[in-house]
Amino acid sequence: MMDAAVRTFGRLGYQAASMDEIAELAGVSKPLVYLYLHSKEDLFTSCIRREARALLAVVAAAVEGEGAAEERLSAGLLAFFTYTAEHPDAWAVLSRQARAQGEPFATEAERMRDEIAGYVGELIGVAAQGPCDAEGLAQALVGAAEAMANWANGPGGTAPRQAAATLMRLVWTGLGTLTAPGGDLSKRPAAP
């Protein structure tokens, strides 16, 4: 039932999806869907939570370990882009549908985003080896990765490995300016 719900919500959106369609796609009766999942809102929340846990597990597995921060960040980006490409309905639920419906759904998606940003922030902090706004940089990188995943998975997009490599080049070049002598951006004058 959950797979059918993710597919339906991902393709049609929360408002357009019906419990009848979800039940039919799952091959069960509509009362059975309600018996286990109570309401459309509960079902959608359950979908967001399940898909967020799955994406977080993939990213966490890729970034954990003893390798260099650059290698771990690159592996995390590749895992993220691969997951979003292989699970387009799940990604649509997490990236567009949950946020578009407002509360309480947006908060569920935001929790996932913040956890991924936490992993990224730790890696940036290790890589920078000096003062930098690791949390702000992590939020920027996560936002860029989300936007790139939406583009990469659409018409004219690109493969996960290419998306990860492109974003990694951009990020690592930028982090290089932060780790170079005099690279602390907080001490530079603001641009006019």
Side-chain angles (χ1 to χ4, degrees):
M1 284 187 287
M2 292 290 289
D3 291 340
V6 168
R7 184 173 178 193
T8 304
F9 288 134
R11 294 178 184 190
L12 301 178
Y14 177 75
Q15 295 298 328
S18 74
M19 295 297 263
D20 288 325
E21 289 169 300
I22 293 166
E24 184 178 328
L25 186 59
V28 299
S29 68
K30 184 176 169 182
L32 188 61
V33 174
Y34 278 108
L35 176 67
Y36 285 103
L37 299 160
H38 309 293
S39 69
K40 185 176 173 181
E41 183 176 299
D42 287 347
L43 177 57
F44 192 53
T45 300
S46 294
C47 289
I48 295 166
R49 287 177 180 162
R50 184 186 87 160
E51 299 311 316
R53 280 191 307 271
L55 178 56
L56 284 168
V58 167
V59 171
V63 301
E64 291 174 353
E66 298 298 319
E70 177 181 7
E71 293 167 356
R72 293 166 54 204
L73 182 58
S74 182
L77 286 171
L78 179 58
F80 174 81
F81 288 120
T82 300
Y83 186 88
T84 62
E86 291 175 353
H87 302 90
D89 295 327
W91 179 240
V93 166
L94 293 171
S95 69
R96 291 188 299 277
Q97 303 303 335
R99 292 180 180 139
Q101 297 310 311
E103 297 305 327
F105 310 122
T107 298
E108 293 293 334
E110 200 59 32
R111 282 189 192 120
M112 174 209 61
R113 187 183 200 283
D114 287 343
E115 198 163 333
I116 291 175
Y119 295 135
V120 173
E122 287 176 28
L123 293 172
I124 289 172
V126 168
Q129 299 176 348
C132 76
D133 181 8
E135 186 177 336
L137 292 169
Q139 289 291 337
L141 174 56
V142 170
E146 290 173 342
M148 193 159 200
N150 289 334
W151 169 78
N153 296 333
T158 191
R161 187 166 301 283
Q162 182 61 41
T166 299
L167 191 53
M168 190 63 195
R169 279 193 307 276
L170 174 69
V171 169
W172 215 251
T173 300
L175 285 175
T177 64
L178 293 176
T179 59
D184 182 0
L185 296 179
S186 66
K187 295 181 181 174
R188 293 186 186 171

